[in-house]
Amino acid sequence: AWTAAFANDNASSWISVSPQSGEAADICSVTVTVKANDTYEDRNATLIITCEELSESITFTQKQLNSLLVTGDKFEFDCKGGTFSVNVKTNISVTCTIADNASEWLTQGGTKTIVSRDFMFTVAPNETLSAREGVISFSGEGLSEFVRVYQQGEDPTLVLTQKELTVATEGETFGVEVTRNIPVEMEIVSGESWLSANTTKTVSTDSFWFTAAANEDVEPRTAVLNFFNSQYNLSETIIVTQLQKDALVAAAPEYGIDAAGGRLVIPVGHN
């Protein structure tokens, strides 16, 4: 007679053999039934078949249930960018892949294939006005998980480096610096009779140049320049003041005095 039994104490919970005994014969067979493995570890059991003084052992190994879990599936950043980590819990070898359309601004540090760890990523600053999105995939053994990264674009910016400017009486060419990330238009609100835009002088796309004519008047004068973007409803204004022409003026160029002499009062105007 022969018997068949598993040596492992807990084997009966997931593997069984039938029949478990029989009479000696030239050929006999047994059927082994294995339940699905819903754990995240491999398991094994040893079947021992005994007939009188003879025995034979057979080992059965069942693979674990493959697992691939990420701690978060969405990360959001402002235009400045930053760093973040994705914790991957898995019992298989995992490959991390960044979508091609995000590879220039979303990068990963460290190795791309590893069993279990925190995957570190860096988001570069977004210097455009448009928001952008990238997808990171973690895959292995037929399993996949996806993480989406969203980054905001910059806010529209239009800033003048100064609000007031003084130019010389004799006239000069001067520049107005504009800090912006959007197209900017300019208009001379007042002072166009003596102040003109200088389109022939170009230093940078953020400099607007102007030429002020000489001021022959004895009074200072001002001009107002407006820089604006209608799409984003942004505008900045600068006031340009030109100094007056210094003068000392008598009331009349000539005076007559009689032979007897006397006192003469001459009015003098000056600025």
Side-chain angles (χ1 to χ4, degrees):
W2 59 269
T3 60
F6 286 98
N8 312 65
D9 292 337
N10 61 346
S12 60
S13 64
W14 62 276
I15 190 170
S16 61
V17 60
S18 178
Q20 296 181 354
S21 61
E23 297 298 325
D26 291 338
I27 299 177
C28 63
S29 63
V30 296
T31 299
V32 176
T33 302
V34 181
K35 295 181 180 180
N37 187 359
D38 57 1
T39 72
Y40 300 124
E41 295 181 356
D42 291 350
R43 57 189 180 186
N44 56 73
T46 300
L47 177 65
I48 299 177
I49 301 175
T50 303
C51 183
E52 296 181 355
E53 296 180 356
L54 301 176
S55 66
E56 188 72 32
S57 63
I58 304 173
T59 300
F60 298 87
T61 300
Q62 186 179 27
K63 291 292 185 179
Q64 83 277 358
L65 176 65
N66 289 338
S67 173
L68 176 58
L69 300 172
V70 296
T71 54
D73 61 359
K74 183 173 73 172
F75 294 85
E76 297 180 349
F77 288 86
D78 59 22
C79 63
K80 296 179 182 179
T83 60
F84 68 101
S85 66
V86 178
N87 182 260
V88 179
K89 296 181 179 180
T90 183
N91 57 2
I92 59 176
S93 180
V94 173
T95 298
C96 170
T97 304
I98 297 174
D100 291 341
N101 65 345
S103 59
E104 292 186 357
W105 59 272
L106 180 59
T107 55
Q108 182 209 346
T111 181
K112 290 187 177 181
T113 303
I114 198 162
V115 173
S116 178
R117 61 162 288 182
D118 286 338
F119 288 75
M120 302 296 298
F121 299 90
T122 299
V123 178
N126 186 357
E127 297 178 351
T128 71
L129 299 180
S130 302
R132 56 190 180 187
E133 173 186 350
V135 178
I136 306 170
S137 63
F138 299 88
S139 58
E141 302 294 335
L143 300 177
S144 296
E145 286 286 331
F146 299 93
V147 173
R148 297 187 180 275
V149 182
Y150 300 91
Q151 186 179 27
Q152 299 174 1
E154 285 188 335
D155 292 331
T157 300
L158 195 170
V159 178
L160 299 182
T161 57
Q162 51 193 140
K163 300 292 186 181
E164 296 182 356
L165 184 67
T166 301
V167 297
T169 303
E170 59 271 19
E172 64 176 294
T173 296
F174 62 94
V176 176
E177 297 292 327
V178 182
T179 301
R180 44 85 176 245
N181 58 5
I182 54 177
V184 172
E185 296 181 72
M186 184 280 303
E187 61 177 345
I188 301 176
V189 179
S190 64
E192 62 272 9
S193 62
W194 59 272
L195 187 64
S196 61
N198 190 335
T199 57
T200 61
K201 184 176 179 64
T202 301
V203 175
S204 75
T205 57
D206 294 326
S207 295
F208 289 77
W209 290 87
F210 303 88
T211 298
N215 187 0
E216 301 295 340
D217 200 344
V218 295
E219 297 292 335
R221 56 188 180 185
T222 61
V224 178
L225 307 178
N226 185 38
F227 299 82
F228 64 95
N229 181 290
S230 301
Q231 178 183 356
Y232 296 103
N233 195 29
L234 295 176
S235 65
E236 287 282 314
T237 299
I238 183 172
I239 297 176
V240 181
T241 301
Q242 187 177 34
L243 300 176
Q244 76 280 2
K245 182 178 181 179
D246 292 334
L248 180 62
V249 181
E254 295 183 8
Y255 292 88
I257 303 173
D258 60 24
R263 186 176 178 216
L264 179 66
V265 176
I266 303 175
V268 177
H270 65 87
N271 59 2

